[in-house]
Amino acid sequence: MEAVLNRRSSAVRIVLENIADQQNASAVIRTAEGFGVHHLHFIQAYNPAPSFSHVSKGTDKWLRFHYSDETESCLQDLKFKNFVVLATDLSPGAVPIEEVDFAPYKAAIEKKEGGIALLFGNEVRGISPMARELADVKFVLPMTGFVQSYNLSVAAALTLSHLQHVGILPGNGLDKHEHEETLAKWLLGEHKSTRYILERAGIKLDDY
């Protein structure tokens, strides 16, 4: 568990806006966990919050979820915390992901001065006008076939793979408090001898 936590990232987050298909959301969760992304934000302005299917293979228990019913409040909160919002989009002005300069974002993450929020929109409509307005960068994943877009979980995987390619992922772990809190929750869920294990890890059970 410690080895996994030490490669987690809270500086890269995934934001899903009005995802309609529960299995798509579950597949993204599984993909995110595999890349070490620790936080996912769900904006559900007109679709119900996801109930995770068998597709996620139980990976949802390893992650932290944040829920909002407004795109503006969710994205503004992330921007207030110095996250840049990078949105997948097919509108004019969106650039291929290979043309996005990730160097400033990587430097900010290394200095613990910022992060990246990757925004993915509805499977049919894409991101909302509000999301398009608030996005700092709009990018596309280049394709060479006839279809215009990838499946949601594939798009998430390709985007996270690119962040891995440019050296932003895997992460360098969580801050001390979140590391301890997450470890405690994981141990609580996985082991019967919880108190003994937590005390050996130097974590007070009463704190959680």
Side-chain angles (χ1 to χ4, degrees):
M1 286 186 175
E2 288 280 5
V4 172
L5 274 173
N6 289 336
R7 293 170 67 82
R8 273 289 200 260
S9 175
S10 61
V12 175
R13 303 190 177 198
I14 286 181
V15 183
L16 300 180
E17 184 190 34
N18 293 314
I19 303 306
D21 191 314
Q22 302 287 324
Q23 291 198 359
N24 281 340
S26 294
V28 172
I29 289 166
R30 187 176 179 184
T31 298
E33 202 285 326
F35 278 93
V37 174
H38 195 61
H39 293 262
L40 283 88
H41 298 252
F42 298 92
I43 303 170
Q44 299 298 136
Y46 48 81
N47 287 323
S51 57
F52 307 118
S53 74
H54 66 282
V55 178
S56 67
K57 297 293 184 181
T59 52
D60 49 284
K61 67 183 178 182
W62 305 114
L63 306 175
R64 293 192 64 177
F65 300 134
H66 311 265
Y67 300 94
S68 176
D69 57 7
E70 291 184 350
T71 296
E72 183 175 12
S73 61
C74 176
L75 298 185
Q76 290 286 24
D77 181 62
L78 285 165
K79 290 163 78 76
F80 179 77
K81 295 174 181 175
N82 293 324
F83 281 81
V84 291
V85 177
L86 277 64
T88 56
D89 192 23
L90 294 177
S91 68
V95 299
I97 192 170
E98 291 88 351
E99 295 181 14
V100 177
D101 181 9
F102 283 92
Y105 312 141
K106 182 180 179 182
I109 290 172
E110 290 173 347
K111 295 177 182 177
K112 301 187 184 303
E113 295 177 351
I116 295 173
L118 299 170
L119 174 62
F120 300 89
N122 178 268
E123 297 93 330
V124 177
R125 292 177 294 273
I127 61 174
S128 67
M130 177 59 70
R132 189 169 290 115
E133 178 182 335
L134 291 175
D136 297 291
V137 176
K138 295 179 285 292
F139 70 91
V140 294
L141 296 164
M143 308 183 73
T144 56
F146 290 109
V147 295
Q148 287 189 313
S149 62
Y150 291 103
N151 171 275
L152 179 63
S153 62
V154 173
L158 290 172
T159 304
L160 293 173
S161 179
H162 186 76
L163 264 62
Q164 194 174 61
H165 175 71
V166 298
I168 292 175
L169 289 174
N172 294 318
L174 312 175
D175 65 42
K176 185 176 185 294
H177 175 75
E178 188 172 20
H179 180 106
E180 290 183 350
E181 182 183 46
T182 302
L183 179 61
K185 289 179 177 179
W186 287 2
L187 290 171
L188 281 166
E190 289 296 300
H191 296 281
K192 295 180 179 179
S193 305
T194 302
R195 184 175 295 278
Y196 172 73
I197 294 171
L198 288 176
E199 288 177 351
R200 287 199 62 182
I203 300 170
K204 295 180 180 180
L205 188 60
D206 294 341
D207 292 342
Y208 305 97

